Amino acid sequence: TMGNWLVNHWFSAAVLAAWLGINIFLFTYYFLFFDRDERYFYTRAILGSALAWARASAKCLNFNSMLILLPVCRNLLSFLRGTCSCCRRTLRKQLDHNLTFHKLVAYALALLTAVHTIAHLFNLECYNQSQQASDSSLPAVLSKMHLQGSKWLNPIHSNQTTVEYVAFTTIPGLTGVIITLALILMVTSSTEFIRRNYFELFWYTHHLFLVYFTGLVIHGIAGLVRGQTEQSMAEVHPYDCAEYLTQREQNCTHSCCKDPEFGSIPAESWKWVLAPIILYVFERLLRVWRAQQKVVVKKVVMHPARVLELQMQKKGFCMEVGQYIFINCPAISPLEWHPFTLTSAPEEDFFSIHIRAAGDWTERLINTFQLETPRVEVDGPFGTASEDVFQYEVAMLVGAGIGVTPFASILKSIWYKFQQGDQTLKTKKIYFYWLCRDTGAFAWFNDLLASLEQKMAESGKAGFLTYRLFLTGWDTSIANNVALHFDTATDTVTGLRHKTIFGRPMWNTEFAAVAAAHPRSVVGVFLCGPEALAKSLQKSCHQHSSLDPRKVKFYFNKENF
């Protein structure tokens, strides 16, 4: 299993190792630098090792802040997918892990922020104690240097100052509090539960990233943490002169009589994040420009189980199977954009989406379309894993509930390819699995499957598509009805030739059957569904893939928004 994992995920592992390696290197290098460098000898006399903890975590925070925006530049990812269409499948597939990497970097930011904040709280406490000390110790002497003009090392200049006062009145303190709060809100509101049930909350709080980056750029400007200047180091080196600071004579004539001078560490965060911010600004401008292009809603269909189908046209719109678009309806909310997978095929003269009522925004959209046809704005299309479906000889498509939408596009496209007698179709066999809770959700998809069934039979390729429909939520009345009509040629639930199976699939059995039927094939497994199902399928892919390169291999792909 470990061997299979490495075969399928070597590039992901390499990227993860590189990211971890750079973080470890930056932290270790700057920790040792600030813990040993002579310029910070006097700063360490007051702060101890908390200085190194604060500065090392700051470097890693800058590095991860530089990375956090890149995985959410949708146009950049689509461009990269296009440019490496000739690359190996393994390489292209890594771009579908963009949100996983985005979350990983976000969690790293949260951890590093905690380290950085705790270290600076220790620093402020040390600064405060040194300022209030009345003895002739080195920290106390260094803390009184502000009385001699601009030579100060300790930013706290009064015995009445508290740590809380510094935290809320200085630029580093205030921006630190603000960006920490923004980060906490962004991380906590992006949990799976909130994204699925309160998307608006997730959407709006995530835009606090504007506050985060603004605060980050301003954070280090004041330069409260200081070190000895190069000129002062040459004149009064701390290794030679530190002891004279605490026991200086009145009429001192020694070369160490001169006080050391200190300078701020220049603000650096902007250097790290400037390029990603510029890239992201271009990304947003491109989205705004594309959103302004006119969209014509050609047809509105209301399917059972409150599923709304929109058929639209837009000048210059060019799609591939399994891609998705972002939809905005200004009449409902001028700022909210929601992702929907395209259910149309590239061969059709329109593009369509199916929207299920799942949350406030979709409910309002469906209600609005039942009364009138409001103006909609479209951004996209954007590429996801399903674009690669025709690159595999054998494809296993797994859709859960409304997650069937990308596969509607694929199956339609196959239908058109058969109609047009496309000889370039690399795919020889498709296995399609649809898991659904209620019978109503099958209704809008039945016509497509029925016509496809007929088309395959007419062209003598009835064996090309094997589909299995699993009803995971059912009651006694449905079971009784099925028992009564067990011998009929078509299914009582869907009206199709293939019978509906009650319960959940036994994935080990399904994968074993596919592996036995195609012992030397590369099989693409495509899922649009929940995380628990993804883990189960991923496990089956690893278990049933052979280490022998000449034998069956299963490659897992998942839709990500």
Side-chain angles (χ1 to χ4, degrees):
T1 305
M2 188 62 190
N4 288 335
W5 190 92
L6 285 171
V7 166
N8 288 335
H9 298 274
W10 66 269
F11 193 81
S12 292
V15 170
L16 188 63
W19 173 75
L20 267 174
I22 293 168
N23 272 296
I24 292 166
F25 168 76
L26 284 172
F27 194 92
T28 309
Y29 178 84
Y30 283 101
F31 186 92
L32 294 173
F33 177 80
F34 283 97
D35 201 46
R36 296 178 180 178
D37 194 88
E38 298 162 349
R39 280 169 288 181
Y40 302 99
F41 177 89
Y42 290 123
T43 319
R44 287 194 299 274
I46 299 176
L47 303 178
S49 63
L51 168 71
W53 283 99
R55 297 308 301 169
S57 56
K59 293 292 176 185
C60 291
L61 275 166
N62 285 336
F63 171 63
N64 286 284
S65 296
M66 177 182 78
L67 296 179
I68 193 81
L69 287 176
L70 298 178
V72 289
C73 289
R74 299 194 291 263
N75 290 296
L76 174 68
L77 293 176
S78 283
F79 171 74
L80 290 174
R81 277 192 76 86
T83 53
C84 57
S85 57
C86 54
C87 303
R88 286 191 60 184
R89 182 185 296 131
T90 318
L91 208 60
R92 275 202 323 279
K93 214 159 57 120
Q94 306 316 312
L95 293 171
D96 298 317
H97 299 161
N98 61 319
L99 291 187
T100 307
F101 186 64
H102 177 73
K103 289 174 193 171
L104 188 67
V105 174
Y107 293 138
L109 283 174
L111 176 67
L112 291 163
T113 299
V115 172
H116 187 70
T117 305
I118 292 164
H120 270 318
L121 287 173
F122 273 105
N123 287 337
L124 286 175
E125 191 55 46
C126 291
Y127 276 139
N128 209 26
Q129 285 177 2
S130 301
Q131 168 60 29
Q132 293 184 9
S134 53
D135 57 10
S136 58
S137 64
L138 185 57
V141 171
L142 290 166
S143 297
K144 301 295 181 288
M145 283 194 170
H146 66 90
L147 301 171
Q148 294 153 36
S150 62
K151 294 180 182 178
W152 63 271
L153 178 62
N154 188 336
I156 297 177
H157 300 164
S158 163
N159 286 1
Q160 281 71 50
T161 306
T162 61
V163 170
E164 293 79 10
Y165 180 80
V166 175
F168 289 99
T169 58
T170 60
I171 290 173
L174 194 57
T175 54
V177 169
I178 290 167
I179 60 181
T180 303
L181 286 173
L183 194 64
I184 289 167
L185 286 169
M186 283 190 285
V187 170
T188 53
S189 67
S190 60
T191 58
E192 188 78 9
F193 176 78
I194 289 174
R195 277 194 303 117
R196 297 290 174 211
N197 298 286
Y198 306 99
F199 186 86
E200 291 83 357
L201 179 65
F202 158 73
W203 177 261
Y204 288 117
T205 52
H206 238 60
H207 279 75
L208 287 169
F209 81 91
L210 296 167
V211 174
Y212 175 85
F213 278 101
T214 306
L216 186 71
V217 169
I218 298 168
H219 185 60
I221 283 174
L224 291 195
V225 177
R226 307 186 109 197
Q228 196 173 353
T229 63
E230 291 288 348
Q231 190 184 343
S232 177
M233 289 277 291
E235 291 173 354
V236 279
H237 198 281
Y239 290 176
D240 302 325
C241 304
E243 58 185 291
Y244 292 97
L245 276 176
T246 53
Q247 46 193 16
R248 186 177 294 167
E249 301 159 11
Q250 280 291 327
N251 301 314
C252 179
T253 55
H254 196 271
S255 60
C256 286
C257 294
K258 192 177 180 183
D259 282 337
E261 293 187 12
F262 305 100
S264 297
I265 301 169
E268 294 190 329
S269 295
W270 66 272
K271 294 177 189 174
W272 290 82
V273 300
L274 184 63
I277 287 172
I278 290 170
L279 196 66
Y280 191 76
V281 166
F282 275 116
E283 167 87 15
R284 293 304 285 246
L285 289 172
L286 185 58
R287 289 186 202 176
V288 170
W289 175 74
R290 292 211 299 204
Q292 298 309 309
Q293 295 169 329
K294 192 183 178 187
V295 176
V296 179
V297 179
K298 300 291 285 182
K299 193 175 180 183
V300 179
V301 185
M302 195 67 214
H303 294 283
R306 277 181 72 72
V307 174
L308 174 75
E309 180 185 353
L310 297 180
Q311 294 182 8
M312 296 166 281
Q313 285 180 330
K314 182 180 175 182
K315 192 179 177 182
F317 189 90
C318 184
M319 65 163 285
E320 296 294 331
V321 292
Q323 288 190 310
Y324 66 96
I325 56 171
F326 275 78
I327 286 277
N328 169 260
C329 182
I332 296 170
S333 170
L335 298 175
E336 282 182 50
W337 290 82
H338 292 253
F340 294 97
T341 309
L342 291 160
T343 51
S344 50
E347 292 83 355
E348 290 172 313
D349 64 348
F350 63 86
F351 60 96
S352 66
I353 54 171
H354 284 70
I355 302 165
R356 179 172 58 97
D360 295 344
W361 189 88
T362 47
E363 284 281 3
R364 280 181 288 165
L365 186 76
I366 290 167
N367 292 336
T368 305
F369 268 99
Q370 285 177 320
L371 299 170
E372 57 170 330
T373 304
R375 183 171 70 89
V376 291
E377 294 175 353
V378 168
D379 185 26
F382 299 106
T384 57
S386 301
E387 271 184 23
D388 296 337
V389 73
F390 298 127
Q391 301 297 314
Y392 294 92
E393 292 168 29
V394 181
M396 291 173 74
L397 315 180
V398 184
I402 199 73
V404 78
T405 48
F407 309 128
S409 173
I410 291 162
L411 294 174
K412 273 188 189 180
S413 188
I414 288 166
W415 181 25
Y416 281 110
K417 285 181 194 299
F418 273 124
Q419 280 185 323
Q420 294 158 9
D422 190 340
Q423 299 300 312
T424 61
L425 191 63
K426 193 176 175 181
T427 312
K428 301 288 184 283
K429 176 75 181 177
I430 283 185
Y431 294 89
F432 175 59
Y433 306 85
W434 190 14
L435 289 65
C436 222
R437 278 202 193 126
D438 61 278
T439 52
F442 283 114
W444 70 271
F445 201 59
N446 282 357
D447 292 342
L448 172 63
L449 282 178
S451 59
L452 200 59
E453 231 176 9
Q454 188 183 349
K455 190 70 196 166
M456 296 295 160
E458 284 173 8
S459 61
K461 295 195 177 180
F464 177 81
L465 174 71
T466 299
Y467 61 85
R468 296 162 79 78
L469 311 181
F470 294 86
L471 198 62
T472 55
W474 47 283
D475 54 30
T476 319
S477 63
I478 295 172
N480 290 338
N481 190 29
V482 169
L484 279 171
H485 301 89
F486 185 75
D487 294 328
T488 56
T490 57
D491 186 70
T492 54
V493 177
T494 62
L496 295 162
R497 289 176 202 170
H498 285 247
K499 301 280 182 175
T500 299
I501 301 157
F502 294 87
R504 297 185 181 279
M506 302 284 285
W507 290 117
N508 269 336
T509 311
E510 301 292 343
F511 273 80
V514 173
H518 311 278
R520 294 183 181 277
S521 292
V522 176
V523 182
V525 181
F526 294 83
L527 167 71
C528 190
E531 202 57 47
L533 184 54
K535 284 176 183 170
S536 178
L537 288 173
Q538 212 161 5
K539 190 179 174 185
S540 296
C541 281
H542 298 155
Q543 283 175 348
H544 293 276
S545 285
S546 172
L547 280 174
D548 187 337
R550 293 165 297 177
K551 293 186 179 177
V552 70
K553 290 266 185 304
F554 289 90
Y555 285 95
F556 180 72
N557 303 266
K558 186 181 185 299
E559 291 289 307
N560 289 310
F561 298 135

